Amino acid sequence: MKAALQLCWICLFSITSLHLHSQTASKDYTYTIHVGAFVKANLADFEKIRPLGFMYAEVFDNSLLRIYLGDYANEKSAEAVLAKIKTNGYPDAYITRKDLSRGVQKSMIQLGTAAFNDQINWERYALAGPLYVQQVDKSLKIMTGMFDDLEMAQRRLRTIRGGGFKDAFIKNVNEAMLHEVTSFEAGRELQQNTIEAIPDAYEETVTEKGEAPKTEDPIALVEAGTLTEKEATPPPAEAIPQSYDQPIQLQVPRAIPAPAIRKSVKRNSVLELQKVLKKSGAYTSSLDGFYGKGTAAGYERIMQQNSQLRKYSLLAKYTREMNSTTRPGQLQYYINTLAADTRNATKKLEASADPVAKVYLAYVKFVTQGQRREVDDLMNTAIKKAFKGYKGTKVPLDATLDYSYRSLDQLLQHLACVQSISKTAKDLPCWMLRQHPKEAAQAFSGELGLGMQQCDDFVNWQELKLLRTIAADLNPQGVADANKVAAYASDRARYLLSPQKLDILKAEELNNWHIALWNGLDKWAAKEGLHAKLVVPLRVTYFQSMVRLEDYFMTKNIKPKDARHLAIGVLRTMVDQHLNSYSS
């Protein structure tokens, strides 16, 4: 009887496990077929297998294209197609899978549907913007995006429908299921002339109070006709596609474009900007706190009319703030350049015996070759060497254990632990947060005490460059403390690349700093006419920068009030080292 019960429990456990495994496999993974890697490849080269599924390419090693075919809900479906591909001249093809749990839901606009072997008019679809495809069974969902929030997608949808895509609609899609349509997927070069082809009214309907503004009408361009929506909309994060089980390629993160300014969010930063514009005669409308047509035109006008601002604009082109007290050490340099120059930096890491070099080498192998024994060996050896004789308690890692690295999250957490006690390479490279925003933000917490490479090249907007130049020129000491500059650069990178709502105490501290700074500057300006004249360019660029930064954080789904605190945090890192003596 006891043996029979045991057998029943085993059977039940096995059936349940199989059921759960089946659910997990169908839910958490999509399967695709790696056809091969080619120096040059065109869609027309694959006529025999094109009818089997949607074909797409990924750049590898700057010169090779990895060609993939299809998305399949389970491995069995993929195997059936793989057999046909092999018999049609690609015997080395194999199945790979993507972990859908690593993908982020993105708001997309679906433009239409087609079969993957249809003659698709890609030129027409390209009028709507960058194109992406999701394969569902034998059909292709053709979309444009990606949008970081629903509001941005809704604004774009109105424009796209007005441009002829009347049946377009918004849907949320896991980004891991999307494939960008390039010249390879389309089979020809695509000309994307989005804004000219489909004029955009760029409307904004939400205010801080939840009411539509009753002031100025929405306009098509943000800065007096100079900033298009395509330029203003942030691109999707350039993450390393670590979910492929087969070899993949490091990608170089691109700069973050300046976001569009929301014209119907009422805020103090706009009100302060309007005050200085009006006092200078560049703005004649009401002081309403909305960044509408008049405010944009007023800012453009003062930039042209104010001689100090014209001087600083020219100077800003040739000015670059020092970023640290010394040049980065050799190891730190190769870590910083690992994404941009993967091949050379990897060779240098392989030649180093430093534990930090080993954990970054393990990282490269994990994201380019997948989970393997070599990654585990590199990590475990580095951990034991780094923590030999370590007496501290702040690092959440047991160096006596051997680990098996099955996820990027765990590997980055341990990489951060090793680097946090290093004396040779203490800074987290900028590209890490751009490549893996979610995983890196969690792994590289402030508690570990890691520094941050200066990342201003990623966020090098006109207003911020100008503000930095003006603040440095008003520094009574002439030169800022280099250590403070480096510390603030690290803080600034964390604010911008890993934005999170600040706690109450930090928000209050920043707000108090902001008030004290401007109280002090106002007192200084009141003492002499020349001082008042010098403060005007600073006030204009400070509050214009604050508006732009608030919008950047709002694109990251941060509420306006919290975006204000983060914007002040960034501004403090840019001007406090120069202007702290003015604070009252």
PDB file of all heavy atoms in Angstrom, residues 559-577:
ATOM      1  N   LYS A 559       6.253  60.797 -12.601  1.00  0.00           N
ATOM      2  CA  LYS A 559       5.254  61.854 -12.489  1.00  0.00           C
ATOM      3  C   LYS A 559       5.927  63.228 -12.473  1.00  0.00           C
ATOM      4  O   LYS A 559       7.069  63.371 -12.039  1.00  0.00           O
ATOM      5  CB  LYS A 559       4.415  61.648 -11.228  1.00  0.00           C
ATOM      6  CG  LYS A 559       3.571  60.378 -11.269  1.00  0.00           C
ATOM      7  CD  LYS A 559       2.746  60.217  -9.998  1.00  0.00           C
ATOM      8  CE  LYS A 559       1.894  58.959 -10.062  1.00  0.00           C
ATOM      9  NZ  LYS A 559       1.111  58.765  -8.822  1.00  0.00           N
ATOM     10  N   PRO A 560       5.183  64.263 -12.938  1.00  0.00           N
ATOM     11  CA  PRO A 560       5.775  65.607 -13.030  1.00  0.00           C
ATOM     12  C   PRO A 560       6.434  66.099 -11.747  1.00  0.00           C
ATOM     13  O   PRO A 560       7.534  66.665 -11.794  1.00  0.00           O
ATOM     14  CB  PRO A 560       4.583  66.485 -13.429  1.00  0.00           C
ATOM     15  CG  PRO A 560       3.687  65.565 -14.184  1.00  0.00           C
ATOM     16  CD  PRO A 560       3.824  64.233 -13.505  1.00  0.00           C
ATOM     17  N   LYS A 561       5.801  65.904 -10.595  1.00  0.00           N
ATOM     18  CA  LYS A 561       6.373  66.374  -9.333  1.00  0.00           C
ATOM     19  C   LYS A 561       7.704  65.696  -9.045  1.00  0.00           C
ATOM     20  O   LYS A 561       8.681  66.335  -8.630  1.00  0.00           O
ATOM     21  CB  LYS A 561       5.392  66.128  -8.187  1.00  0.00           C
ATOM     22  CG  LYS A 561       5.882  66.625  -6.843  1.00  0.00           C
ATOM     23  CD  LYS A 561       4.849  66.366  -5.754  1.00  0.00           C
ATOM     24  CE  LYS A 561       5.356  66.836  -4.397  1.00  0.00           C
ATOM     25  NZ  LYS A 561       4.368  66.564  -3.320  1.00  0.00           N
ATOM     26  N   ASP A 562       7.750  64.384  -9.269  1.00  0.00           N
ATOM     27  CA  ASP A 562       8.985  63.634  -9.030  1.00  0.00           C
ATOM     28  C   ASP A 562      10.036  63.957 -10.090  1.00  0.00           C
ATOM     29  O   ASP A 562      11.238  63.961  -9.804  1.00  0.00           O
ATOM     30  CB  ASP A 562       8.692  62.136  -9.008  1.00  0.00           C
ATOM     31  CG  ASP A 562       7.697  61.765  -7.917  1.00  0.00           C
ATOM     32  OD1 ASP A 562       7.798  62.319  -6.810  1.00  0.00           O
ATOM     33  OD2 ASP A 562       6.801  60.929  -8.183  1.00  0.00           O
ATOM     34  N   ALA A 563       9.589  64.226 -11.325  1.00  0.00           N
ATOM     35  CA  ALA A 563      10.518  64.611 -12.391  1.00  0.00           C
ATOM     36  C   ALA A 563      11.205  65.932 -12.052  1.00  0.00           C
ATOM     37  O   ALA A 563      12.375  66.138 -12.372  1.00  0.00           O
ATOM     38  CB  ALA A 563       9.761  64.730 -13.718  1.00  0.00           C
ATOM     39  N   ARG A 564      10.480  66.830 -11.385  1.00  0.00           N
ATOM     40  CA  ARG A 564      11.064  68.121 -10.979  1.00  0.00           C
ATOM     41  C   ARG A 564      12.245  67.893 -10.035  1.00  0.00           C
ATOM     42  O   ARG A 564      13.303  68.495 -10.185  1.00  0.00           O
ATOM     43  CB  ARG A 564       9.994  68.977 -10.298  1.00  0.00           C
ATOM     44  CG  ARG A 564      10.545  70.217  -9.604  1.00  0.00           C
ATOM     45  CD  ARG A 564       9.436  70.983  -8.878  1.00  0.00           C
ATOM     46  NE  ARG A 564       9.992  71.990  -7.979  1.00  0.00           N
ATOM     47  CZ  ARG A 564      10.389  73.194  -8.353  1.00  0.00           C
ATOM     48  NH1 ARG A 564      10.294  73.543  -9.621  1.00  0.00           N
ATOM     49  NH2 ARG A 564      10.878  74.044  -7.481  1.00  0.00           N
ATOM     50  N   HIS A 565      12.074  67.005  -9.048  1.00  0.00           N
ATOM     51  CA  HIS A 565      13.148  66.748  -8.081  1.00  0.00           C
ATOM     52  C   HIS A 565      14.370  66.147  -8.773  1.00  0.00           C
ATOM     53  O   HIS A 565      15.513  66.523  -8.473  1.00  0.00           O
ATOM     54  CB  HIS A 565      12.642  65.805  -6.981  1.00  0.00           C
ATOM     55  CG  HIS A 565      11.537  66.394  -6.165  1.00  0.00           C
ATOM     56  ND1 HIS A 565      10.498  65.632  -5.673  1.00  0.00           N
ATOM     57  CD2 HIS A 565      11.291  67.672  -5.779  1.00  0.00           C
ATOM     58  CE1 HIS A 565       9.672  66.419  -4.999  1.00  0.00           C
ATOM     59  NE2 HIS A 565      10.126  67.650  -5.050  1.00  0.00           N
ATOM     60  N   LEU A 566      14.138  65.222  -9.697  1.00  0.00           N
ATOM     61  CA  LEU A 566      15.254  64.617 -10.419  1.00  0.00           C
ATOM     62  C   LEU A 566      15.962  65.646 -11.295  1.00  0.00           C
ATOM     63  O   LEU A 566      17.193  65.643 -11.409  1.00  0.00           O
ATOM     64  CB  LEU A 566      14.754  63.452 -11.271  1.00  0.00           C
ATOM     65  CG  LEU A 566      14.395  62.176 -10.510  1.00  0.00           C
ATOM     66  CD1 LEU A 566      13.591  61.225 -11.386  1.00  0.00           C
ATOM     67  CD2 LEU A 566      15.648  61.484  -9.988  1.00  0.00           C
ATOM     68  N   ALA A 567      15.180  66.539 -11.905  1.00  0.00           N
ATOM     69  CA  ALA A 567      15.776  67.580 -12.740  1.00  0.00           C
ATOM     70  C   ALA A 567      16.662  68.499 -11.900  1.00  0.00           C
ATOM     71  O   ALA A 567      17.776  68.854 -12.313  1.00  0.00           O
ATOM     72  CB  ALA A 567      14.673  68.387 -13.427  1.00  0.00           C
ATOM     73  N   ILE A 568      16.197  68.859 -10.710  1.00  0.00           N
ATOM     74  CA  ILE A 568      17.010  69.695  -9.820  1.00  0.00           C
ATOM     75  C   ILE A 568      18.280  68.944  -9.427  1.00  0.00           C
ATOM     76  O   ILE A 568      19.368  69.531  -9.333  1.00  0.00           O
ATOM     77  CB  ILE A 568      16.207  70.107  -8.570  1.00  0.00           C
ATOM     78  CG1 ILE A 568      15.072  71.059  -8.956  1.00  0.00           C
ATOM     79  CG2 ILE A 568      17.114  70.784  -7.537  1.00  0.00           C
ATOM     80  CD1 ILE A 568      14.145  71.413  -7.803  1.00  0.00           C
ATOM     81  N   GLY A 569      18.146  67.631  -9.208  1.00  0.00           N
ATOM     82  CA  GLY A 569      19.321  66.830  -8.871  1.00  0.00           C
ATOM     83  C   GLY A 569      20.382  66.892  -9.953  1.00  0.00           C
ATOM     84  O   GLY A 569      21.575  67.058  -9.670  1.00  0.00           O
ATOM     85  N   VAL A 570      19.967  66.795 -11.214  1.00  0.00           N
ATOM     86  CA  VAL A 570      20.915  66.885 -12.325  1.00  0.00           C
ATOM     87  C   VAL A 570      21.514  68.284 -12.397  1.00  0.00           C
ATOM     88  O   VAL A 570      22.734  68.446 -12.571  1.00  0.00           O
ATOM     89  CB  VAL A 570      20.227  66.532 -13.659  1.00  0.00           C
ATOM     90  CG1 VAL A 570      21.167  66.779 -14.832  1.00  0.00           C
ATOM     91  CG2 VAL A 570      19.759  65.082 -13.661  1.00  0.00           C
ATOM     92  N   LEU A 571      20.684  69.292 -12.261  1.00  0.00           N
ATOM     93  CA  LEU A 571      21.171  70.674 -12.324  1.00  0.00           C
ATOM     94  C   LEU A 571      22.191  70.950 -11.224  1.00  0.00           C
ATOM     95  O   LEU A 571      23.183  71.654 -11.446  1.00  0.00           O
ATOM     96  CB  LEU A 571      19.996  71.646 -12.212  1.00  0.00           C
ATOM     97  CG  LEU A 571      19.035  71.638 -13.411  1.00  0.00           C
ATOM     98  CD1 LEU A 571      17.793  72.457 -13.095  1.00  0.00           C
ATOM     99  CD2 LEU A 571      19.715  72.166 -14.662  1.00  0.00           C
ATOM    100  N   ARG A 572      21.944  70.406 -10.053  1.00  0.00           N
ATOM    101  CA  ARG A 572      22.903  70.604  -8.960  1.00  0.00           C
ATOM    102  C   ARG A 572      24.268  70.037  -9.333  1.00  0.00           C
ATOM    103  O   ARG A 572      25.307  70.652  -9.056  1.00  0.00           O
ATOM    104  CB  ARG A 572      22.385  69.941  -7.690  1.00  0.00           C
ATOM    105  CG  ARG A 572      23.307  70.160  -6.482  1.00  0.00           C
ATOM    106  CD  ARG A 572      22.762  69.455  -5.259  1.00  0.00           C
ATOM    107  NE  ARG A 572      23.575  69.738  -4.074  1.00  0.00           N
ATOM    108  CZ  ARG A 572      23.318  69.243  -2.870  1.00  0.00           C
ATOM    109  NH1 ARG A 572      22.262  68.457  -2.678  1.00  0.00           N
ATOM    110  NH2 ARG A 572      24.100  69.531  -1.851  1.00  0.00           N
ATOM    111  N   THR A 573      24.292  68.882  -9.971  1.00  0.00           N
ATOM    112  CA  THR A 573      25.573  68.274 -10.342  1.00  0.00           C
ATOM    113  C   THR A 573      26.302  69.088 -11.408  1.00  0.00           C
ATOM    114  O   THR A 573      27.507  68.928 -11.600  1.00  0.00           O
ATOM    115  CB  THR A 573      25.373  66.843 -10.874  1.00  0.00           C
ATOM    116  OG1 THR A 573      24.702  66.879 -12.144  1.00  0.00           O
ATOM    117  CG2 THR A 573      24.587  65.985  -9.903  1.00  0.00           C
ATOM    118  N   MET A 574      25.581  69.951 -12.097  1.00  0.00           N
ATOM    119  CA  MET A 574      26.185  70.717 -13.181  1.00  0.00           C
ATOM    120  C   MET A 574      26.681  72.097 -12.737  1.00  0.00           C
ATOM    121  O   MET A 574      27.622  72.642 -13.317  1.00  0.00           O
ATOM    122  CB  MET A 574      25.184  70.881 -14.321  1.00  0.00           C
ATOM    123  CG  MET A 574      24.742  69.574 -14.944  1.00  0.00           C
ATOM    124  SD  MET A 574      23.673  69.815 -16.358  1.00  0.00           S
ATOM    125  CE  MET A 574      24.812  70.524 -17.516  1.00  0.00           C
ATOM    126  N   VAL A 575      26.040  72.691 -11.710  1.00  0.00           N
ATOM    127  CA  VAL A 575      26.378  74.079 -11.369  1.00  0.00           C
ATOM    128  C   VAL A 575      26.903  74.268  -9.952  1.00  0.00           C
ATOM    129  O   VAL A 575      27.556  75.279  -9.675  1.00  0.00           O
ATOM    130  CB  VAL A 575      25.158  75.013 -11.589  1.00  0.00           C
ATOM    131  CG1 VAL A 575      24.622  74.884 -13.006  1.00  0.00           C
ATOM    132  CG2 VAL A 575      24.049  74.736 -10.579  1.00  0.00           C
ATOM    133  N   ASP A 576      26.617  73.347  -9.046  1.00  0.00           N
ATOM    134  CA  ASP A 576      26.967  73.583  -7.637  1.00  0.00           C
ATOM    135  C   ASP A 576      28.467  73.721  -7.437  1.00  0.00           C
ATOM    136  O   ASP A 576      28.928  74.515  -6.604  1.00  0.00           O
ATOM    137  CB  ASP A 576      26.427  72.453  -6.763  1.00  0.00           C
ATOM    138  CG  ASP A 576      26.635  72.724  -5.286  1.00  0.00           C
ATOM    139  OD1 ASP A 576      26.132  73.760  -4.792  1.00  0.00           O
ATOM    140  OD2 ASP A 576      27.324  71.936  -4.616  1.00  0.00           O
ATOM    141  N   GLN A 577      29.278  72.955  -8.168  1.00  0.00           N
ATOM    142  CA  GLN A 577      30.727  73.044  -8.012  1.00  0.00           C
ATOM    143  C   GLN A 577      31.263  74.408  -8.423  1.00  0.00           C
ATOM    144  O   GLN A 577      32.367  74.793  -8.049  1.00  0.00           O
ATOM    145  CB  GLN A 577      31.443  71.931  -8.798  1.00  0.00           C
ATOM    146  CG  GLN A 577      31.186  71.938 -10.285  1.00  0.00           C
ATOM    147  CD  GLN A 577      30.031  71.041 -10.674  1.00  0.00           C
ATOM    148  OE1 GLN A 577      28.990  71.043 -10.023  1.00  0.00           O
ATOM    149  NE2 GLN A 577      30.219  70.256 -11.720  1.00  0.00           N
TER     150      GLN A 577
END
